[in-house]
Amino acid sequence: MTATIKDILTTMTYATADEKALVERAFMVADKAHDGQLRKSGEPYIIHPLAIGKMLAEMGVDAATVAAGILHDTIEDTAVTSDDIKRDFGDEILFLVEGVTKLGGVRYRGTDRHNESLRRLFVATSRDIRILIIKLVDRLHNMRTLQHVAKEKQFRIAQETLQIYVPVAHRLGIGRLRKELEDLAFPYVYPDDHERVLALTREHRKHDEAMLEKCRKALQRRLGELTLTNFRTSGRVKGLYSLYQKLKRRHWDMNNVYDYLAIRVIVGSVEECYQVLGIIHELWRPMPGRIKDYIAFPKPNGYRSLHTTVATPYDRVVEIQIRTEDMHRAAELGIASHLVYKTQQNGGPNVTKNESWFRSLIPRFGKTPEVVAARPEAVTIPDWIKAVATSYTHHDVTDDDFDDALHQDFFSTRIFVFTPNNDVVDLPVNATVVDFAFEIHSDIGEHVSGARVNGKFVGIDTALKNGDRVEIETSERSHPTYKWLEFAKTSEARRKIRAYLKKAA
Ligand code: MN
């Protein structure tokens, strides 16, 4: 079960010898750095970076990401420094490892405001999507091993997973990570509801799964009889947490859940998707109103497939999802699928390292010049990202959709700064120290005299930047003047300054 560096290298069939050597070097450094450290389970610490490297390799992401994943805990938890990483691995990998390290300092504080801020922060301060991918996979491994963590911490970590990591995985369309994260967190966060859902499914589970397999075989046979040559099918049972969400909206009645059992049909072309839909409707009776064409109308997170729900002769209603190989990969890996190597098809490894389009959507967060220089620039914005942008204005909410914050994150005009306790304060672009002070507390706002921003002393009119760490300095003698209105940007700060001036007059 424990992954080894050999496993990782074997999984990376898509990588060149140089790239594999890089990953192996990352392992040697991490192995040495973590030597003697133990996981909560009592196992050597290195199993954690190795597990992450393995998952990243399975996703097919580039060698730099796999290497950075293996190194992700070194700067924070070992004697290895940023300079060491820079010297041994260069700017790109340093950028990724430091990015993961910084995200690690953000904590979930349990209020709605922080929760939303953190979600946004994830997208906003990640200047490279690969940082998020590593962070998500890191969390997944920590969730898989949560039973070893102290009881009182389990709830907090699991809740943070549901509140922050799951929505991020969903918004980025990474279905594979989302489902597993949800189902791992569910019993810790809602133990009673988890028990209830389990009880509802338990008694029928064996029977259901057997029926699903019968349906799948029947369909497979039927498709094979026709001209279709290149296709595959698989069955899937809805995840418990996802089922729970649906049951809450459907009076806890399993009969009202139509997609508990599903069959996936993966075919060679879009044309065949529609062809298969016709074949299925000929075979089994479709339920009215349950045919969904997410190929012509993709979901906001880019998901594409045809869905239909049919009554089968096996006493079960089954949802059938029809998609091409490309659509399937995108549904499993989401945004990460744009980072992965294209194998075979084009006769050899061919990297689609086009995350720059992603960053081009968050221009305010800029590009680090060295990093951009270190990587090839290939900008083609995938259609579904454009669709996300337009879906803002024509958003039709289905019950599977989350809120529309995805593009708000991308196009927002907000910055996120930290208090010394790592709380996140979210402010408009160009907000200054004064705005921050009033956001913390009116009393602090009324006596702010300056601030330390990232350790450096600055004046109260200083504009803050995304990711700044701000420590307010106050003085009894300091108080609002008319001049403050020249650089206070938030309506909150301006209102309180005016109120103060009025009172003082
Ligand atoms: Mn970690």
Side-chain angles (χ1 to χ4, degrees), residues 53-69:
K54 179 81 190 308
M55 288 190 257
L56 289 168
E58 280 167 355
M59 289 169 88
V61 297
D62 67 344
T65 311
V66 177

Side-chain angles (χ1 to χ4, degrees), residues 45 48 52 72-73 138 142:
Y45 196 87
H48 171 63
I52 284 161
H72 82 278
D73 276 330
D138 178 34
N142 287 334

